[in-house]
Amino acid sequence: MPVSLVDFTTFAAINKHHAMPREIDALGAYCERWSTAQSTLLHELERETHLKTLAPQMMSGHLQGRLLSLLSQLCQPRVILEVGTFTAYATLCLAEGLPPGGRLHTIEVNEELAYLIRKYIRRAGGEDRIQLHLGDAAELIPQIEGDFDLVFIDAGKMDYARHYDLVIDRLRPGGLLLADNVLWSGKIVDRLHDDPDAQILHAFNQKVQADERVDNLILPIRDGLSIARKR
């Protein structure tokens, strides 16, 4: 019997003061320990992100990074679009699945991060296949020619629906559209009625599920990852 939103909210409220966070952290650590290790370069990028940015938690990190890499390698995308680069951790993970001649377009609105992004793209030897676009994604997406095999949305949460609408018709059949942070630190369940960002993300999740052009799945990894496959 399916669990309703009310049931799940009650369950979360009952357990929020118990040992669940420690257990979840232990499970996460176990998963990282027995998953493919991140490269030395990604480890260095992770450290520099923590040292030089105000919100390092925005970075995908080891476990989600390995998932992005695996999905990309399974998909073998010739063209990837990433909306929201931050310091390029996810960018480099996604690029691991590019076949020869493949291309990754990544869009970042914060120009102050460009030096760090370009530094690690260069160190990864990705300058010939990763193109950084600086500016507003809503303006830049229409300027990028062609269709996409894989899209990763990880920019401003208020713009998720807009970015989805800009790319969904350009996603090839069988292509993947990924969106990060769709569980919003659990607020999507226990703070839905008083958190505006949670409400926006909930509306986005409803929009994706209602779209008959895709099959979708939400994974409770890190801050929630939405995976939609174009039919």
Side-chain angles (χ1 to χ4, degrees):
M1 182 176 182
V3 178
S4 70
L5 181 59
V6 174
D7 294 334
F8 191 30
T9 303
T10 302
F11 178 81
I14 291 171
N15 286 279
K16 67 179 180 180
H17 298 302
H18 290 72
M20 285 185 67
R22 181 171 60 82
E23 291 171 0
I24 292 171
D25 287 346
L27 284 173
Y30 180 90
C31 291
E32 288 193 7
R33 170 66 181 85
W34 298 105
S35 297
T36 299
Q38 62 183 349
S39 67
T40 300
L41 181 64
L42 287 173
H43 177 66
E44 292 175 6
L45 172 53
E46 183 177 32
R47 290 190 62 191
E48 191 162 355
T49 298
H50 279 271
L51 288 171
K52 295 184 177 179
T53 67
L54 296 175
Q57 70 275 11
M58 293 172 59
M59 182 184 62
S60 286
H62 174 202
L63 196 60
Q64 181 169 301
R66 291 304 85 210
L67 176 60
L68 295 177
S69 172
L70 180 61
L71 290 173
S72 184
Q73 291 182 65
L74 290 171
C75 186
Q76 287 285 291
R78 294 200 61 80
V79 183
I80 300 173
L81 172 66
E82 179 185 36
V83 183
T85 317
F86 191 44
T87 59
Y89 190 101
T91 313
L92 299 185
C93 293
L94 290 167
E96 292 176 18
L98 285 173
R103 191 82 172 160
L104 189 156
H105 297 274
T106 184
I107 300 174
E108 176 55 47
V109 70
N110 186 354
E111 296 186 7
E112 293 182 359
L113 293 171
Y115 81 96
L116 196 56
I117 296 168
R118 292 192 173 109
K119 172 183 175 179
Y120 279 90
I121 289 175
R122 181 176 64 254
R123 289 191 60 193
E127 292 174 295
D128 62 337
R129 55 201 174 99
I130 302 174
Q131 182 175 353
L132 173 63
H133 305 263
L134 294 172
D136 183 351
E139 297 178 1
L140 291 171
I141 291 172
Q143 298 177 27
I144 299 173
E145 297 181 356
D147 293 329
F148 309 115
D149 301 295
L150 192 157
V151 175
F152 182 41
I153 299 176
D154 190 19
K157 312 313 164 194
M158 293 184 66
D159 296 320
Y160 269 29
R162 186 180 186 189
H163 295 154
Y164 182 92
D165 289 337
L166 284 170
V167 302
I168 190 62
D169 287 330
R170 299 174 60 185
L171 185 65
R172 293 191 178 101
L176 298 180
L177 190 150
L178 315 176
D180 200 9
N181 306 115
V182 296
L183 297 181
W184 203 235
S185 301
K187 295 176 184 177
I188 202 81
V189 171
D190 55 26
R191 293 286 303 278
L192 184 59
H193 301 296
D194 62 0
D195 188 300
D197 291 323
Q199 292 167 9
I200 289 169
L201 286 167
H202 179 57
F204 172 76
N205 292 335
Q206 290 177 307
K207 176 185 178 72
V208 175
Q209 188 182 39
D211 190 342
E212 295 182 353
R213 294 170 293 182
V214 302
D215 296 306
N216 74 302
L217 171 70
I218 295 177
L219 293 178
I221 182 174
R222 191 170 167 268
D223 200 20
L225 183 68
S226 171
I227 304 175
R229 179 183 181 275
K230 184 79 171 286
R231 293 178 179 174

